Amino acid sequence: MIDTEKLSDPAVRAFVTAVNSGDRSAFQATLAPGATMSDDGTERDLGDWTEREIFSSGGHMDVESEGDGGRSLVALYRNDTWGAMRTAWRFTVTDGRISHFATGQA
C-alpha cells in the first residue's frame, strides 16, 4: 500500500485524505466547480453518489498503486454497504482541482 501523504498528485492526495477522514468540507474543496464523476462507466450525480458511497457508509481507500503522474489509482475500497473491493480510479485535474473522476472495479 502507498501512504496517502506519498501520493504524487496534490489534488488526488487531498481527495483520498478527505475520503479517508470522512471530511465532507475538505472533499468539496478538492473539486472544481461543476465537477462530475462516473461509476463503472455510467455518469452519476456527484452529490448523491458521494453521500451514499463515501460519507454515510464509511468509505475508505487503501491505495495499492498509482500511475499517470498520480492521476490513476488502484485501491482497495471499502464501505459499510458493499464491503471491500479492488477499484480503479482516474482523475482529471484542472487548475489544481478535480474536475472529473471515474471509478469502477479493477
Side-chain angles (χ1 to χ4, degrees):
M1 297 299 162
I2 300 173
D3 288 333
T4 303
E5 60 272 2
K6 293 184 179 179
L7 294 173
S8 300
D9 187 277
V12 173
R13 183 171 54 243
F15 178 99
V16 174
T17 298
V19 167
N20 288 350
S21 65
D23 189 333
R24 287 175 175 87
S25 295
F27 181 83
Q28 288 298 321
T30 70
L31 302 175
T36 59
M37 64 87 52
S38 62
D39 182 7
D40 284 329
T42 302
E43 290 296 315
R44 306 287 185 186
D45 179 277
L46 180 68
D48 288 343
W49 188 92
T50 56
E51 182 59 33
R52 184 179 63 254
E53 300 291 339
I54 297 173
F55 297 110
S56 67
S57 62
H60 188 88
M61 300 172 74
D62 289 317
V63 178
E64 293 180 3
S65 63
E66 68 174 354
D68 192 26
R71 294 184 180 179
S72 175
L73 305 177
V74 173
L76 180 64
Y77 185 78
R78 66 182 184 274
N79 67 24
D80 297 338
T81 303
W82 304 107
M85 68 184 79
R86 195 162 183 258
T87 55
W89 299 74
R90 296 195 180 281
F91 297 89
T92 303
V93 178
T94 306
D95 297 327
R97 294 172 75 188
I98 296 165
S99 55
H100 181 81
F101 69 91
T103 188
Q105 292 191 39

